[in-house]
Amino acid sequence: MDHNDQHPHDAPHVVSYGQYVLIWLGLLALTGITVALAGIDLGRWVIVTALVIAAIKSTLVLNIFMHLKFEHRMFRWFVVITLATLAIFFILLFFDYAFH
Amino acid sequence: MKPSESAVHAGHHHRDDVGSKIGMWLFLFTELILFGGMFLAYAVYRLQYPNEFKLAAIELDALVGTVNTIILLTSSLTVALSITAIQEGKKHLAQIMLGMTQVLALAFLVNKYFEWSHKFEVGLFPQSDVLLSKPPGEIIYFGLYYVMTGLHAVHVIIGMAILAVMMGFIASGRIAKDNAVRLELGGLYWHLVDIIWIFLFPLFYLIH
Amino acid sequence: MATTAVETGPDFYHEPSARKGLRGWIFSTDHKRIGILYGVTMMVFFTVAVIIGLLIRLELLYPGKTIIDPQTYNTFFTLHGIMMIFLFIIPGLPAVFGNFLLPIMIGAKDVFFPRLNLLSWWLFLAGGVLALVSLALPGGPADTGWTFYVPYSVRTTTNVLPALMAAFILGFSSILTGLNFITTIHRMRAPGMDWFKMPLFTWSLYATGWIQILATPIIGITLLLVAIERWFGVGIFDPALGGDPVLYQHLFWIYSHPAVYIMVLPGLGVVSEILPVFARRTIFGYKFIAYSSLAIAFIGSLVWAHHMFTVGMSDTGMFIFSFLTFLVSIPSAIKVFNWIATLYKGSIDPDVPLLYVLSMIIQFCIGGFTGLLLGTLAVNIHVQDTYFVVGHFHYVMFGGTGFALFAALHYWFPKMFGRMYAKRPAIVAWLLATIGFNLLYFPMFFLGYLGMPRRYYDYLPEYTIYHQISTVGSWVLALGLLVMVVNLIVALRKGAKASANPWGSKTLEWTVASPPPMENFHEIPVVTKGPYDYSEYERPHETK
């Protein structure tokens, strides 16, 4: 993506107030679910469910609040690369610690 | 800036909002990795001390944590709304939204202050006799708690400062309907601070 | 592109509209001035670090005390490491040559964030000054080694905190540079310059920028945690409080291994830049070299625990990290094969930049091979923490990146300063530096194999001869560096004025005056050809 193939002042994508409020309500609901699930004894699955829900919430924030969904594809690749890097750190670290 | 030096930015005589956003996202990645390092440490120690973490987490008030989560999520909403407002030319509404964000952020910090001071009162701070008498896993839990929520609070304060500057820019006209990228960048920072808390919350408050 | 007559006018040193005097420099947002500022400040830190290195070698000339006491010795190798790594090699090529050349090479007038660029330099200066100040503060300079391993770094009463803060600030500087370069490369390439028409030095700066962004924050948080341990006794790494010192090592090396690729990738880019010019041939395997930079950046982020094979990790972890370490050698090897293929049947001009490049390639290979040896678990057990490691990393970082930096200096000197240096003293300096370097560091492989530990102040008599050869090597090397620097300084004042393109190179920076004017280009060029188009030099029967 070049500077050259972009008009200097492309009108930015405007997200409506209603869309934002909807996402916010979704985030509140997901928070409620997380709290509710924490009360149930899921044993080892507690952390997995909590992290999955946190990931879903983050995806909403990233895509809508942070406009990632409406930006050029390249930004999404950047985010993926960063998250993949972090994931790899976790995985490789665990090859040491999980096998002690 | 001298005329010739401003001409050096010839590439920017056309404002390049995409480039500015690239810069901001790259900076956000560094923040993500900064906290990522702390989450790595958390993960290692949670693997090592699963029961002590559960015990220690009882000291944390899940209600306050939940309230704080709602506060931050709402503050992300108000920041996002302020951007739509400015994009529609509604300066006043944008300022109100940003003002609400600041109030919510302040409420978050106040809550955090009360949380921490309560723990200090019952003797749960680094190197305290009470803490040192606990099993190692619990000491580690509280160490991680203070460092991670502390570092996060620092970023909340930085975010408030950034948004305050944005409010100044709106007032002076440097951010306007057709020139709102700075506010977007400020908003991006704020949302990241929110995302970090989204992960901190369950990992510290909801371990039962 | 056709060579146009280079327009006259003031160069960026004499730009009339810039502020006058020192203020025109330390407040300048011009990338060329910032590059020069970095160069000057780095030279100061490098000189101090070299002197400390020479003193270390002098102490090791004989067993027992030679000139300094053990505590001083410990602070010396700590300082030598901190200064060379954080103040010289990591900023290194990107800060000086990246800043100066990147915009010109892609046909831009500056980087994307010029004011952030200036901030990067100010942070660099602040970090460097803080590191030097820690020498003078009560408590004495840090004696932990540049790696700040816990628990010693938490317990020692020396000035660890200023050193940690300095490293933290320097990390910020590095991040901002990487951020700037990535954005610049994405957004400011001249019309017609698509990704695969970019010079390979630019590719290397791009890959390096990503490592700077994704790896540096980890050292930031790690050093912050050590500082917090020292201040508040939190216990994150303290075994008595449930902490794990090995976790510190993991976190430290998650950055510090990719850091060596921050150091070396631009050096590899310089080699790819210089070879085509002095072989009068297009680079062999452009895309492979470009992609291999990205591959090294990626795989290099997966190998960090090979610094920790002897600390008690799980077998599974050790096998995986050893395997990944072997993998990372592949893209590096690809580059070397392509370089050799570039030289093959080329029209070789053995001028000074090429000489440094040739030394670099051989030394980098020695460093790389010994790296593979270190990556082999069975061998590592014997030579970890010995001089074998010291030899290895000096071969890659100094023999590799350092010599690439000398090559870059001799290649771009006429462009940056508008003068040409004398060739014969430069070749003498190169010869002395190469001979001295190898005399200094090759014996270390024997020392390590025979069991001499690193960072030791004293040693058994049977190691003496190797240490003495090494120390003599350090003197020869120092002489070579001295001749090199003096020759270049003389050239600054008395060298013949350089034309725009004394080497006959094809990249964009050689189309502007030497030194360039403030805005680089009076008109942004339109790029139609690749950066290494030497087709006019091809022999008639040669086919691609």
Side-chain angles (χ1 to χ4, degrees):
Chain A
M1 184 183 70
D2 261 330
H3 183 63
N4 312 300
D5 61 19
Q6 169 121 0
H7 301 290
H9 300 294
D10 260 357
H13 182 281
V14 181
V15 180
S16 75
Y17 302 109
Q19 280 173 294
Y20 282 140
V21 171
L22 225 61
I23 297 296
W24 172 70
L25 291 172
L27 289 168
L28 292 182
L30 286 165
T31 306
I33 294 174
T34 314
V35 173
L37 283 177
I40 311 172
D41 184 7
L42 296 166
R44 277 171 40 228
W45 290 99
V46 159
I47 186 162
V48 173
T49 47
L51 287 176
V52 165
I53 296 177
I56 296 172
K57 286 161 82 175
S58 304
T59 309
L60 285 174
V61 173
L62 274 169
N63 272 321
I64 313 296
F65 283 174
M66 295 172 84
H67 275 214
L68 197 59
K69 184 170 161 170
F70 312 111
E71 301 281 7
H72 191 281
R73 220 175 18 136
M74 175 183 74
F75 286 91
R76 250 166 289 161
W77 276 110
F78 284 0
V79 172
V80 164
I81 289 171
T82 304
L83 294 177
T85 304
L86 211 47
I88 287 172
F89 291 163
F90 273 95
I91 294 170
L92 287 176
L93 199 59
F94 269 77
F95 278 123
D96 179 19
Y97 281 99
F99 292 96
H100 268 180
Chain B
M1 196 161 52
K2 297 275 178 2
S4 158
E5 278 190 2
S6 72
V8 165
H9 308 285
H12 308 261
H13 277 329
H14 318 284
R15 202 182 77 217
D16 185 356
D17 289 351
V18 175
S20 304
K21 281 192 203 166
I22 292 178
M24 190 61 191
W25 277 97
L26 290 173
F27 180 69
L28 292 186
F29 296 153
T30 68
E31 294 280 31
L32 209 62
I33 304 265
L34 186 81
F35 279 93
M38 285 306 317
F39 282 107
L40 283 169
Y42 175 98
V44 164
Y45 287 129
R46 176 135 175 201
L47 184 71
Q48 218 175 322
Y49 302 114
N51 296 321
E52 288 91 332
F53 270 43
K54 288 203 184 111
L55 276 170
I58 295 174
E59 293 290 339
L60 262 52
D61 187 345
L63 181 61
V64 178
T66 308
V67 166
N68 259 355
T69 305
I70 294 172
I71 287 176
L72 273 191
L73 290 174
T74 311
S75 70
S76 265
L77 172 67
T78 48
V79 161
L81 292 176
S82 80
I83 292 174
T84 300
I86 205 77
Q87 285 171 334
E88 292 185 347
K90 302 196 173 122
K91 260 177 77 160
H92 199 59
L93 180 59
Q95 295 283 45
I96 292 176
M97 287 297 125
L98 286 175
M100 283 175 63
T101 311
Q102 300 282 34
V103 166
L104 289 164
L106 197 59
F108 179 92
L109 290 174
V110 166
N111 275 340
K112 186 106 333 245
Y113 170 78
F114 282 122
E115 276 189 284
W116 277 35
S117 44
H118 168 73
K119 288 192 187 51
F120 277 40
E121 272 163 42
V122 301
L124 282 172
F125 53 89
Q127 291 293 314
S128 75
D129 292 327
V130 173
L131 191 60
L132 289 178
S133 69
K134 288 190 175 280
E138 292 197 46
I139 303 178
I140 291 289
Y141 174 90
F142 283 105
L144 289 170
Y145 169 77
Y146 280 117
V147 173
M148 291 176 83
T149 60
L151 194 60
H152 178 261
V154 166
H155 283 78
V156 170
I157 296 172
I158 295 172
M160 288 174 76
I162 290 175
L163 292 179
V165 169
M166 297 303 127
M167 291 172 82
F169 282 165
I170 294 179
S172 70
R174 279 183 84 179
I175 293 178
K177 175 174 177 175
D178 58 350
N179 188 5
V181 74
R182 280 197 186 90
L183 184 59
E184 289 189 68
L185 301 185
L188 285 175
Y189 189 85
W190 189 257
H191 293 306
L192 185 78
V193 172
D194 186 20
I195 287 181
I196 291 165
W197 182 260
I198 285 175
F199 280 93
L200 279 181
F201 168 58
L203 291 176
F204 279 105
Y205 290 83
L206 300 182
I207 327 174
H208 292 307
Chain C
M1 67 219 104
T3 320
T4 52
V6 175
E7 291 136 82
T8 54
D11 59 42
F12 75 95
Y13 294 99
H14 299 104
E15 172 60 33
S17 67
R19 282 192 201 87
K20 294 285 167 279
L22 190 62
R23 299 188 66 217
W25 281 83
I26 62 176
F27 291 108
S28 172
T29 56
D30 173 58
H31 67 100
K32 298 181 291 299
R33 289 194 171 196
I34 293 174
I36 301 288
L37 285 173
Y38 266 108
V40 167
T41 35
M42 269 165 52
M43 280 294 324
V44 172
F45 297 132
F46 179 66
T47 307
V48 174
V50 165
I51 292 174
I52 296 179
L54 289 170
L55 290 171
I56 292 174
R57 282 310 329 161
L58 196 50
E59 169 56 43
L60 293 169
L61 192 56
Y62 303 104
K65 174 170 174 170
T66 312
I67 48 166
I68 50 178
D69 63 65
Q71 178 61 23
T72 310
Y73 182 82
N74 290 349
T75 64
F76 270 16
F77 67 67
T78 303
L79 275 169
H80 175 81
I82 291 176
M83 295 183 78
M84 282 297 190
I85 289 175
F86 292 116
L87 292 175
F88 181 63
I89 299 232
I90 287 180
L93 283 160
V96 182
F97 297 95
N99 263 317
F100 195 101
L101 295 161
L102 173 63
I104 315 182
M105 281 177 132
I106 61 172
K109 295 197 175 185
D110 208 313
V111 293
F112 196 93
F113 299 111
R115 283 171 301 182
L116 267 193
N117 207 10
L118 180 62
L119 180 62
S120 283
W121 178 71
W122 282 345
L123 290 172
F124 171 75
L125 192 63
V129 165
L130 190 53
L132 287 177
V133 158
S134 79
L135 300 180
L137 294 171
D143 58 353
T144 56
W146 77 277
T147 46
F148 299 114
Y149 273 16
V150 299
Y152 186 64
S153 61
V154 177
R155 295 182 196 158
T156 175
T157 53
T158 57
N159 284 309
V160 169
L161 231 36
L164 293 175
M165 279 165 54
F168 190 88
I169 294 171
L170 291 164
F172 235 111
S173 172
S174 181
I175 284 173
L176 291 178
T177 298
L179 188 157
N180 224 333
F181 285 1
I182 293 177
T183 313
T184 304
I185 291 171
H186 270 279
R187 300 303 290 171
M188 296 180 77
R189 281 168 286 124
M193 182 175 282
D194 60 46
W195 282 87
F196 294 112
K197 288 212 180 68
M198 274 195 334
L200 287 166
F201 184 54
T202 317
W203 269 102
S204 72
L205 291 174
Y206 184 77
T208 304
W210 275 104
I211 309 178
Q212 286 170 298
I213 296 280
L214 294 180
T216 313
I218 296 280
I219 192 86
I221 189 69
T222 309
L223 297 180
L224 189 62
L225 286 174
V226 176
I228 291 174
E229 290 269 291
R230 284 181 71 94
W231 276 325
F232 301 115
V234 169
I236 299 233
F237 300 124
D238 186 348
L241 300 174
D244 184 3
V246 173
L247 178 62
Y248 170 84
Q249 293 190 26
H250 272 296
L251 291 175
F252 179 83
W253 289 111
I254 287 179
Y255 165 71
S256 301
H257 189 85
V260 313
Y261 296 108
I262 296 177
M263 300 174 207
V264 94
L265 275 175
L268 305 177
V270 166
V271 172
S272 301
E273 211 54 51
I274 289 179
L275 280 178
V277 181
F278 293 89
R280 281 288 178 264
R281 295 197 65 195
T282 189
I283 192 84
F284 187 92
Y286 172 100
K287 277 196 182 173
F288 270 94
I289 298 187
Y291 286 137
S292 68
S293 292
L294 297 175
I296 291 174
F298 172 62
I299 306 176
S301 308
L302 314 181
V303 303
W304 74 82
H306 66 219
H307 298 264
M308 299 161 56
F309 282 150
T310 55
V311 306
M313 291 193 296
S314 75
D315 283 348
T316 312
M318 284 168 52
F319 287 145
I320 288 176
F321 278 108
S322 175
F323 170 70
L324 291 168
T325 304
F326 271 77
L327 269 189
V328 79
S329 67
I330 296 177
S332 307
I334 287 176
K335 283 186 195 278
V336 176
F337 293 147
N338 284 321
W339 291 338
I340 297 175
T342 303
L343 287 168
Y344 179 65
K345 287 198 177 171
S347 178
I348 310 287
D349 176 13
D351 211 320
V352 182
L354 184 67
L355 294 175
Y356 276 108
V357 158
L358 293 175
S359 298
M360 183 278 189
I361 294 176
I362 295 174
Q363 285 155 185
F364 177 70
C365 284
I366 294 176
F369 293 143
T370 51
L372 285 173
L373 286 171
L374 284 164
T376 311
L377 290 172
V379 174
N380 188 280
I381 304 295
H382 290 283
V383 294
Q384 168 62 343
D385 275 334
T386 68
Y387 263 80
F388 198 91
V389 179
V390 181
H392 158 72
F393 67 66
H394 280 99
Y395 261 91
V396 273
M397 294 208 287
F398 190 177
T401 302
F403 273 66
L405 201 138
F406 301 150
L409 192 53
H410 287 82
Y411 178 55
W412 280 301
F413 187 92
K415 178 56 56 190
M416 293 167 77
F417 301 106
R419 305 266 187 175
M420 186 54 92
Y421 47 83
K423 193 150 127 169
R424 217 166 303 144
I427 294 182
V428 168
W430 162 77
L431 202 55
L432 286 171
T434 302
I435 292 173
F437 174 88
N438 285 284
L439 270 180
L440 168 52
Y441 293 112
F442 205 78
M444 292 189 183
F445 295 125
F446 295 99
L447 272 175
Y449 179 74
L450 293 169
M452 163 92 203
R454 65 184 289 196
R455 293 179 173 162
Y456 269 39
Y457 167 77
D458 195 1
Y459 54 84
L460 297 171
E462 64 229 47
Y463 298 127
T464 310
I465 180 65
Y466 300 99
H467 277 295
Q468 291 183 332
I469 296 173
S470 182
T471 301
V472 168
S474 76
W475 297 336
V476 176
L477 172 63
L479 184 59
L481 293 179
L482 194 60
V483 172
M484 182 179 86
V485 168
V486 168
N487 186 37
L488 292 177
I489 291 180
V490 165
L492 282 177
R493 310 171 125 264
K494 300 199 192 140
K497 280 211 193 289
S499 66
N501 195 359
W503 310 116
S505 172
K506 300 291 182 180
T507 41
L508 281 179
E509 75 271 27
W510 302 102
T511 64
V512 301
S514 303
M518 192 59 128
E519 298 174 22
N520 305 335
F521 301 96
H522 295 281
E523 234 181 76
I524 301 290
V526 175
V527 174
T528 49
K529 290 191 182 173
Y532 310 113
D533 185 355
Y534 293 96
S535 42
E536 75 233 47
Y537 294 97
E538 261 169 40
R539 282 167 276 221
H541 63 274
E542 217 169 49
T543 49
K544 272 267 172 305

